[in-house]
Amino acid sequence: MTLSIGMLGYRFMGKAHSNAFSRLSMFFPDAPDIERDVLVGRDEDALADAADRLGFARTATDWREVVDEVDVFYNLGPNDVHVEPSVAALEAGVPVLSEKPLAATLDGAERMAEAAAEADVPTAVAFNYRYVPAIQHAKQLIDEGAIGEIHHVRANYLQDWLVDPQAPWSWRNSEEIAGSGALGDLGAHSIDLAQYLLGDSIERVSGHLKTFVEERPVPGADGGGLDAESGDSVETRPVTVDDAYSAQAEFANGAMGTFEASRFANGQKNAHTIAINGSDGSLRFDLERLNELEVLRDDGRGFETVLVTDPDDPYLDHWWPPGHVLGWEHTFVHEDYEFLSAVAEGESYGPNFADGLAVQRVLDAIERSDESGRWVEV
Amino acid sequence: MTLSIGMLGYRFMGKAHSNAFSRLSMFFPDAPDIERDVLVGRDEDALADAADRLGFARTATDWREVVDEVDVFYNLGPNDVHVEPSVAALEAGVPVLSEKPLAATLDGAERMAEAAAEADVPTAVAFNYRYVPAIQHAKQLIDEGAIGEIHHVRANYLQDWLVDPQAPWSWRNSEEIAGSGALGDLGAHSIDLAQYLLGDSIERVSGHLKTFVEERPVPGADGGGLDAESGDSVETRPVTVDDAYSAQAEFANGAMGTFEASRFANGQKNAHTIAINGSDGSLRFDLERLNELEVLRDDGRGFETVLVTDPDDPYLDHWWPPGHVLGWEHTFVHEDYEFLSAVAEGESYGPNFADGLAVQRVLDAIERSDESGRWVEV
Amino acid sequence: MTLSIGMLGYRFMGKAHSNAFSRLSMFFPDAPDIERDVLVGRDEDALADAADRLGFARTATDWREVVDEVDVFYNLGPNDVHVEPSVAALEAGVPVLSEKPLAATLDGAERMAEAAAEADVPTAVAFNYRYVPAIQHAKQLIDEGAIGEIHHVRANYLQDWLVDPQAPWSWRNSEEIAGSGALGDLGAHSIDLAQYLLGDSIERVSGHLKTFVEERPVPGADGGGLDAESGDSVETRPVTVDDAYSAQAEFANGAMGTFEASRFANGQKNAHTIAINGSDGSLRFDLERLNELEVLRDDGRGFETVLVTDPDDPYLDHWWPPGHVLGWEHTFVHEDYEFLSAVAEGESYGPNFADGLAVQRVLDAIERSDESGRWVEV
Amino acid sequence: MTLSIGMLGYRFMGKAHSNAFSRLSMFFPDAPDIERDVLVGRDEDALADAADRLGFARTATDWREVVDEVDVFYNLGPNDVHVEPSVAALEAGVPVLSEKPLAATLDGAERMAEAAAEADVPTAVAFNYRYVPAIQHAKQLIDEGAIGEIHHVRANYLQDWLVDPQAPWSWRNSEEIAGSGALGDLGAHSIDLAQYLLGDSIERVSGHLKTFVEERPVPGADGGGLDAESGDSVETRPVTVDDAYSAQAEFANGAMGTFEASRFANGQKNAHTIAINGSDGSLRFDLERLNELEVLRDDGRGFETVLVTDPDDPYLDHWWPPGHVLGWEHTFVHEDYEFLSAVAEGESYGPNFADGLAVQRVLDAIERSDESGRWVEV
């Protein structure tokens, strides 16, 4: 059997998943056979170009026409187009992978999770950082009890691409399209990782959102009016989402959590860090050094820097000898391998839409807390 | 003129300051001459021993008898004895250095600050980490505008000495004596550093306090009943303070702050870290590597690891050539040099009791927030 | 035009290059079209399997039959089979990429370089670490004069896969097949990088080779006799190459070099490090953190940790946004892109067989020095 | 009994030891009582000043007059004045501590070691880095067999204070006074540490010495002629020692060693690093982070960063609680405590003049190797 894939979106995430598809046969020989069937987008020229580069057989400008023609549907569009196409695909019995956060709004996420519950097919929300080998190794250590009862988790996701007030406006600055800013884009990853690694859920939160720059220039020709002298865009659009958020959390089992994400953390490009302290050990991870996990063992005196590239480390037997490090993109190969295998074998899969909704509820609680100035139950 | 010093307390902090006193003449030849006059405590034997070791000429078991006999009074006792002796000394016109936090309660801190305001003499609250050369260097960089407008500060202070539930009860676990736990002991340092470095004050906070272990064994003979078989203490006392706290903060100028301290952060011995992100650069510091400051410069591409040991770095011309690193204790030498010089010359000094009160107000706001479940104005 | 590729060898390096071939069209759209034509090996079953997995159209068990049928020949076999097939291909006018070191012996390397000189086609020796973006960035900085006149280079390559005396014998332990051990396998990379980055050549060396374990068990069925009780192999073969080497070097322009490689450096998996000190700055690199370059700038106070993932960093515009790190395998994509482009456009390419020979002369000088106990001119 | 101390030299090392003396009573109560008796130097004014600051009771401008009047003699002068005063003191039965290297020449070192052998009193050569707690901990681990049989040691000592060609000439640039340059000043430490930690001796070496800048300006008034326009010194003196050295070594038990030191390693202030790889583990140390030891344990997967500040770490019970880091100067307190205790109790002490001579033989062999271009037996 060959799984035909339909994919909505062909930019950053489209490239990441297409690359992953193209590598399965060489590195995961037991992965299902797949066919990059149809690429969906609105701009016909760009779409044709992308289909060619990303190896898709055909294109479509209306997802309605194709969601029921494929065996798997990848929804990689902006957050505000996650709901309709995903629900339609599920209603047609087609398994769906959606990029994160699950939706721009809690309502949307609930609709998606309901559709998933009704459809008897696997769904996936693309929390790809679960598939970093070091994170998988951390999960194993926690599940084995190697770090004992967990007292603390702190998860930050720091970037700096908006620190310049002249950095251009994009859909990621629009509440309408994105739902939220750093919170949904980056915080969703942190919150998912924390709940996943601890095997525990956040019960209540106190949140804080902040927009440092209230409007940004609109780039390029679309922007229209350019300043006669400088040639700079004179049109701006309002930033209606957070540039940064922080949150405090309490988990069901009593662990304390602190969270933060920012697009204004000067000098940090993609510093998704998570630290966990337990009664018998601790763990630390930084995405900028994604092959490493720092481990404090019960009989240890300090953090051990483990290069997670041994053959018996998660997924590593598929790749290279010890010390030959992987990159960011490998997380997509692992993710798509697991999801497509689940689809092919009709097995359940996680993180699925229910997991995506669980994260969305925390995102929503953080926003509500920021508005009310109170701790909020999730 | 020789300044005679009276000192209440002779354990950890007593040793730290006595060491500092003994080093001034060799390394800070322009420091005022001092005389270690009288050491104050309750246990006569231990006191005599300490006076001998720490170089004090005489001892006293009642501070009332000596606070007006000395030129400077160092109050290094537990938090609940900061108020009375300090106020008495100030009323006698004697300059006072108090260990941090300023007091066990906000009321106490206010009384101390009032007494300081009325007395026309210098006071000091022992936020010694301001005197780490790397922190002084950070302050210079910020004041010069090297990192621009500040968006983020995150300050954590992680230790692990209570992670074992059998770690013995001490006064630091008592609300009555200590006021609070990790919050006042460790958080006070973080909050002072943040306000000092930013030159800005925290306006509102959301706080979270947690006690992971509710009671602890009482060590030694005082504990009385020992288990017949194991010889373990069977008496326990309740832990009435926080083992850990976290807080979110907003500064007057709009910066976001996150704070955390814990005595349960397994694997961290004294990890007092502070990271600051500005529009033009960033800074990172970790007390466990106290000779280093990580600096992102405006024209930089990543953090530069600066060994703050050059002759023109703060205080370094008093010590050793470049690369010959200082230790934790040097902060006390710098602190006592500055405070005693201010006393000798009748100049003002900071951080003083007003600064200590400013921190105490934040500590209090964090506790109130934890109780009310709301953001609280400082 | 589509370039047909013949490839000898299908294990570690075969997989690395096949993966690279398969990624060119998506990430380097201007790369020449290629066809994975014929895979060459001796074991027909394994070969068929590999061809299927690596995407080759056909197989051959005798390289003689195919070297003149392809547009490019990749020689990825053990060191002792580098010479004949490469020379034959060159004599047929076919461009050749050879894995490193160029040959098992200096004689062999000279024959290859002569054949390359006579053939008017590009050749390549697979010093893939030149294609790490951080190394390319280092080269740019050096060439711009950012670190000034170079005084020191130290290049180590530390692994630990032979530290267990029971680690099995392989061809890499045989002088006949491999030529040398850590020296040729790892040292060749260090020496090439040093000469490449400095733009300078090593003039004289003092070398030291060491074999810590003199014989190793032969694994598997070939080994024959197994111990009746333990089931362990009782057959061993002698280790006739070095487990580790060190060298001191002097460059033409006066820089001092130190080199070391080992398969006994416990705890180091693939720690290929190079540090360079110049009159105006310094650089440090570690392959285990291959996305980072540590840079001391002329106006700097310490090493800046640069994440070499910006769009204007070498090759990075082909991949992902800043902070989304690359892996070890990407070096092969860059290498094959450059070599195949040179082949397609009939341009010259480096590192070529002449560069491989230059390294081989240093390897040979190090061995001669070890034997003679004297410094040796290259 | 109180030990009276005579000390020749009052600059860098004089200050370091005087500071150590002044701290013994508070931190090492069982140390012998000492009296800083007489300070020896040539410049009367500077000497009087120093005696005052360093706490010496009296001064002398001729060591001959005082070496037999004290209980212990500290020889902290330039290398060329180590021999005569030390031998005279020993002949008078006075224990001597000499700064390192033991002497400017092998002959001198031999004379000192002979005098020590004849005198029945303790001697010391001031290899203070043996007294870093992390190094002591490393020694314990090695002696316990925690890292097994040792295969590799690499010890570098990198500084950069001469990288500027205009850095002024000093006695450290003179062969006559210093004996050698980076080799004797820095390399002596590395070689001693390596032999000490391994409990093994270097049998043969290959050395390389280099002088990058052949002459340097003479600073200040002594230099005489200043350039009329620039005011720069126009007098220069030749640099007659090495700016940097490297060496390869073979130990008696078969371990390979590599060594390097430089005053031209731009960006490194005091980077004395040592790495040791054994069959069961590895160790790494860097003086710039002197409270840390990196340890690969037998059952470990990577290096553990151990903060060597626990109460049962070497000497740490004398200082502060865990995580309150020590500085460079503490090594002198430990060293003087051990040496003066040995003197007071008439016990033997190491590292003594015999150990100093052992290092000097290696230094000499490295120089002979550099001259002859051959490996040289120690």
Side-chain angles (χ1 to χ4, degrees), chain C residues 2-3 14 46 50 75 90 96 104 117 127 171 201-202 209-210 233 265-266 280 305 326 336 344 370:
Chain C
T2 294
L3 296 175
N75 188 338
L90 287 170
V96 178
F127 289 127
W171 70 264
S201 55
I202 293 171
L209 275 68
K210 189 97 188 178
S233 168
N266 219 335
D280 298 328
T305 302
L326 301 188
D336 289 331
D370 178 60

Side-chain angles (χ1 to χ4, degrees), chain D residues 51-377:
Chain D
D52 188 48
R53 207 173 59 251
L54 303 181
F56 277 78
R58 58 188 180 113
T59 64
T61 53
D62 188 346
W63 54 265
R64 285 168 193 83
E65 293 166 15
V66 298
V67 286
D68 60 352
E69 294 175 5
V70 293
D71 295 322
V72 195
F73 182 66
Y74 272 65
N75 190 336
L76 315 179
N79 304 349
D80 66 334
V81 297
H82 287 184
V83 183
E84 303 307 329
S86 299
V87 169
L90 287 170
E91 286 174 353
V94 174
V96 178
L97 177 143
S98 168
E99 266 305 323
K100 37 57 54 181
L102 193 54
T105 63
L106 180 55
D107 272 1
E110 283 169 346
R111 284 185 53 205
M112 290 172 74
E114 277 160 32
E118 279 162 32
D120 193 22
V121 294
T123 57
V125 60
F127 289 128
N128 63 304
Y129 294 133
R130 290 196 187 191
Y131 292 100
V132 174
I135 292 292
Q136 290 281 321
H137 183 49
K139 177 67 173 163
Q140 290 170 351
L141 290 171
I142 291 169
D143 287 354
E144 289 164 22
I147 70 163
E149 184 189 346
I150 292 173
H151 296 120
H152 292 288
V153 56
R154 57 193 76 82
N156 290 0
Y157 201 145
L158 304 182
Q159 300 185 335
D160 69 0
W161 55 284
L162 286 185
V163 72
D164 178 356
Q166 294 305 311
W169 189 95
S170 76
W171 69 264
R172 292 182 190 276
N173 294 118
S174 158
E175 183 181 14
E176 196 180 345
I177 307 176
S180 63
L183 175 62
D185 185 26
L186 307 178
H189 277 303
S190 303
I191 290 159
D192 179 65
L193 270 197
Q195 296 196 134
Y196 169 64
L197 287 172
L198 270 62
D200 194 4
S201 55
I202 293 171
E203 287 209 326
R204 58 190 196 97
V205 294
S206 168
H208 188 196
L209 276 69
K210 189 96 187 178
T211 305
F212 293 110
V213 168
E214 300 288 345
E215 54 184 32
R216 292 187 171 276
V218 179
D222 290 1
L226 300 181
D227 181 82
E229 261 176 66
S230 69
D232 289 351
S233 168
V234 290
E235 193 192 340
T236 61
R237 284 196 202 145
V239 174
T240 51
V241 299
D242 55 293
D243 288 326
Y245 90 100
S246 68
Q248 300 174 94
E250 185 157 46
F251 286 77
N253 292 335
M256 292 177 77
T258 62
F259 295 89
E260 186 179 354
S262 178
R263 294 159 169 177
F264 272 69
N266 219 335
Q268 313 273 191
K269 298 303 166 195
N270 209 20
H272 188 192
T273 59
I274 187 159
I276 297 172
N277 304 123
S279 55
D280 297 329
S282 291
L283 301 171
R284 293 194 299 214
F285 172 77
D286 180 350
L287 183 63
E288 290 183 358
R289 289 180 172 167
L290 70 72
N291 293 275
E292 300 178 13
L293 184 70
E294 291 185 275
V295 180
L296 174 80
R297 299 190 293 172
D298 196 17
D299 63 344
R301 290 196 53 187
F303 285 84
E304 187 178 317
T305 303
V306 176
L307 201 60
V308 187
T309 58
D310 278 358
D312 53 359
D313 281 321
Y315 300 111
L316 265 295
D317 55 332
H318 292 271
W319 299 105
W320 314 107
H324 295 72
V325 298
L326 301 187
W328 168 83
E329 72 204 36
H330 292 78
T331 59
F332 289 84
V333 187
H334 305 161
E335 178 179 63
D336 289 329
Y337 167 69
E338 297 290 0
F339 175 56
L340 294 169
S341 297
V343 168
E345 292 160 28
E347 289 176 358
S348 70
Y349 173 84
N352 56 29
F353 281 14
D355 299 303
L357 176 59
V359 170
Q360 200 93 24
R361 290 197 196 285
V362 178
L363 300 179
D364 182 70
I366 290 170
E367 288 196 278
R368 284 187 290 127
S369 168
D370 178 60
E371 282 155 23
S372 70
R374 291 166 172 275
W375 280 78
V376 164
E377 305 286 320

